[in-house]
């Protein structure tokens, strides 16, 4: 092949050419047989691009990667993902479409850098004020989409690896843990609900069951009367009720799923309070005539225990909304009593009641393997993390009590010394006065 030169008499390589307008073009054929080209204003810029292209070809990176955005790969992931429960998949899709799609999702995958993703996470935490649990969910789906990009040769490595860990460290998220209700707060919460004259009395049974069993919200709302044995005092957890956007044209509706993990299938003994809560729920429905209209069927499952006033199954969103109203009115009632340092309810969700149950078990000294089984934790480290946190808090509480008693003892000893000193001083004065007389 004859040698070719540009207008400046520089030797051109194979595939290089100079256009009439002075721009330079490089053409090559990808492994798939497709012809590709890039253009640059100078020969130096063109050869920088050539080096990148040769590196991509050597590493097996697709030639069409520069035309593919993160959103394009998300759609590919969305169409291929099949090993997730419907509600989990729906939640992941919501997280991506709500937070990622209109942000870094629009960037070409080859231009997306690790610093872009890190800056995106910082923005979510600092500017938008998202909780770490929400960012964790966003990271989960984003990491999977980027991993698909690696596997399909769009990029060399997953640029989001370990980024969430870095975010937690820089924002000190690793020290945060879900707060359980204290014993006084738990007693206040249930006492407030147990008032028969209260507008919230109908919520008393379901929240008592949550506090007394540690069951997940979907496990409680999905309970049927045939899942409990009041005589034996046992609850059989074998499915969960979920409400989410499905992949079909019907949109959002309830479905029955197997428990979150294999360990989720379990039996939980009833406390006396839990047993009475089930009986009270039955009595309330019979008196209100609600049970008569309980004809709701979800994936063939019927006879649900906890139903709303319309005879339908309970929704997690409704329960959390009810909690917010209960917390507000309970605290208002406490403040009206004008007591010094009254016990007040913190803001908490249904899942906090599960954590509260676990905390009470730890405080009672229940074996950690028993706690793991009762809570349906698939990994012992989840239980151990809660166990360690609660034990640490108990240790601090005990030490604070010790310090308080130590101070009281010191003050008592000091008071006794002052009393003895005053007594001795009085005796000396009497002796001196006697001698003077």
């Amino acid at each position: 092949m004859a040698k070719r030169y540009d207008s400046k008499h520089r030797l051109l390589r194979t595939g290089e050419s100079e256009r009439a307008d002075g721009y330079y073009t490089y053409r090559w054929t990808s492994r798939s047989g497709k012809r590709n080209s890039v253009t640059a204003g100078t020969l130096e810029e063109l050869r920088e691009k050539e080096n990148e292209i040769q590196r991509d070809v050597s590493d097996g990176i697709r030639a069409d990667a520069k035309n593919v955005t993160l959103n394009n790969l998300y759609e590919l992931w969305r169409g291929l993902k099949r090993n997730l429960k419907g509600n989990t998949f729906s939640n992941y899709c919501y997280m991506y479409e709500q937070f990622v799609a209109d942000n870094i999702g629009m960037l070409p995958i080859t231009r997306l850098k690790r610093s872009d993703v890190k800056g995106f996470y910082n923005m979510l935490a600092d500017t938008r004020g998202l909780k770490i649990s929400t960012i964790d969910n966003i990271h989960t789906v984003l990491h999977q989409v980027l991993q698909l990009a690696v596997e399909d040769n769009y990029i060399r490595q997953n640029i989001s690896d370990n980024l969430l860990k870095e975010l937690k460290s820089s924002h000190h998220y690793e020290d945060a843990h879900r707060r359980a209700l204290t014993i006084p707060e738990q007693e206040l919460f249930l006492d407030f609900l147990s008032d028969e004259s209260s507008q919230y009395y109908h919520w008393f049974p379901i929240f008592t069951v949550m506090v007394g069993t540690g069951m997940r919200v979907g496990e409680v709302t999905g309970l049927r009367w045939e899942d409990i044995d009041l005589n034996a005092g046992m609850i059989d957890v074998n499915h969960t009720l979920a409400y989410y956007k499905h992949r079909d044209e019907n949109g959002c509706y309830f479905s029955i799923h197997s428990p979150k993990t294999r360990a989720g299938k379990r039996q939980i003994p009833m406390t006396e309070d839990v047993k009475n809560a089930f009986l009270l729920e039955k009595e309330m429905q019979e008196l209100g005539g609600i049970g008569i209209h309980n004809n709701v069927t979800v994936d063939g499952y019927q006879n649900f225990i906890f139903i709303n006033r319309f005879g339908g199954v309970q929704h997690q969103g409704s329960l959390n909304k009810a909690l917010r109203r209960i917390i507000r009115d309970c605290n208002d009632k406490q403040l009206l009593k004008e007591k010094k340092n009254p016990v007040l309810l913190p803001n908490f969700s249904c899942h906090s009641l599960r954590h509260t149950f676990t905390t009470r078990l730890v405080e009672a000294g229940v074996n950690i393997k028993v706690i793991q089984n009762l809570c349906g934790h698939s990994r012992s480290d989840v239980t151990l993390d809660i166990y360690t946190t609660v034990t640490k808090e108990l240790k601090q509480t005990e030490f604070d009590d010790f310090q308080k008693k130590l101070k009281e003892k010191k003050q008592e000893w000091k008071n006794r010394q002052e009393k003895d000193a005053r007594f001795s001083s009085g005796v000396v004065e009497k002796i001196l006065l006697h001698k003077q007389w």
Side-chain angles (χ1 to χ4, degrees), residues 2 9 47 66 161 184 211 235 240 246 262 321 358 377:
H9 305 289
R47 286 181 173 171
K66 64 180 183 295
D161 282 345
V211 172
I235 303 170
T240 184
H246 291 63
R262 191 180 302 174
K321 285 180 183 176
T358 311
H377 291 153

Side-chain angles (χ1 to χ4, degrees), residues 8 10 21-24 39-46 49:
K8 295 180 180 179
R10 291 176 295 188
D21 58 5
Y23 278 80
Y24 291 85
T39 303
T42 66
L43 186 60
E44 290 77 15
E45 290 176 7
L46 183 71
K49 292 185 178 182

Side-chain angles (χ1 to χ4, degrees), residues 73 109 144-156:
L73 288 165
I109 192 66
Q144 291 183 22
V145 172
L146 289 170
Q147 190 57 40
L148 177 63
V150 173
E151 293 168 0
D152 275 12
N153 297 319
Y154 286 102
I155 53 178
R156 290 178 178 79

Side-chain angles (χ1 to χ4, degrees), residues 290-343:
I290 300 174
I292 300 172
H293 306 292
N294 180 12
N295 297 319
V296 62
T297 300
V298 180
D299 292 341
Y301 283 63
Q302 295 179 313
N303 207 22
F304 294 96
I305 295 176
F306 298 109
I307 53 177
N308 57 36
R309 64 182 184 275
F310 305 110
V313 291
Q314 290 287 4
H315 189 289
Q316 179 176 347
S318 300
L319 294 172
N320 280 323
K321 285 180 183 176
L323 275 180
R324 289 194 287 272
R325 295 194 301 271
I326 291 166
I327 292 166
R328 178 198 64 200
D329 292 353
C330 178
N331 287 342
D332 286 347
K333 185 177 179 181
Q334 285 292 96
L335 292 170
L336 285 173
K337 292 179 180 178
E338 297 183 353
K339 286 185 177 180
K340 186 178 180 182
N341 300 322
V343 176

Side-chain angles (χ1 to χ4, degrees), residues 97-247:
E97 292 164 14
Q98 182 73 15
F99 299 105
V100 183
D102 293 333
N103 198 288
I104 60 173
M106 303 173 73
L107 293 176
I109 192 66
T110 54
R111 286 178 50 197
L112 188 64
K113 301 184 293 293
R114 183 177 177 85
S115 57
D116 294 325
V117 182
K118 189 172 185 177
F120 173 63
Y121 286 171
N122 285 330
M123 180 274 293
L124 293 177
D126 300 333
T127 305
R128 301 197 62 171
L130 297 188
K131 293 181 179 179
I132 187 59
S133 57
T134 304
I135 300 175
D136 199 339
N137 283 335
I138 295 168
H139 172 76
T140 299
V141 61
L142 183 55
H143 187 272
Q144 291 183 22
V145 172
L146 289 170
Q147 190 57 40
L148 177 63
V150 173
E151 293 168 0
D152 275 12
N153 297 319
Y154 286 102
I155 53 178
R156 290 178 178 79
Q157 60 185 9
N158 194 325
I159 56 176
S160 68
D161 282 345
N162 297 317
L163 268 185
L164 190 67
K165 185 178 180 181
E166 291 179 17
L167 179 76
K168 289 180 178 180
S169 178
S170 63
H171 288 70
H172 304 290
Y173 282 131
E174 66 271 18
D175 296 328
H177 62 275
R178 195 180 297 274
R179 185 188 182 285
L181 297 182
T182 63
I183 293 176
E185 289 167 352
Q186 179 181 327
E187 290 176 347
L188 172 63
F189 173 60
L190 294 178
D191 285 347
F192 180 74
L193 293 178
S194 65
D195 181 1
E196 294 185 29
S197 62
S198 169
Q199 61 175 314
Y200 301 113
Y201 183 56
H202 63 285
W203 292 113
F204 179 54
I206 190 168
F207 286 127
T208 299
V209 171
M210 286 185 180
V211 172
T213 64
M215 293 170 66
R216 298 177 179 90
V217 184
E219 294 171 343
V220 175
T221 56
L223 274 179
R224 302 165 299 166
W225 289 108
E226 51 263 46
D227 295 322
I228 66 171
D229 187 336
L230 292 170
N231 293 324
M234 195 65 67
I235 303 170
D236 183 27
V237 184
N238 53 59
H239 63 274
T240 184
L241 180 68
Y243 182 84
Y244 61 95
K245 183 178 180 180
H246 291 63
R247 301 191 190 198

Side-chain angles (χ1 to χ4, degrees), residues 278-292:
F278 283 127
L279 292 172
L280 178 60
E281 178 67 24
K282 196 177 190 70
E283 181 184 339
M284 283 181 172
Q285 291 182 18
E286 289 173 351
L287 290 173
I290 300 174
I292 300 172

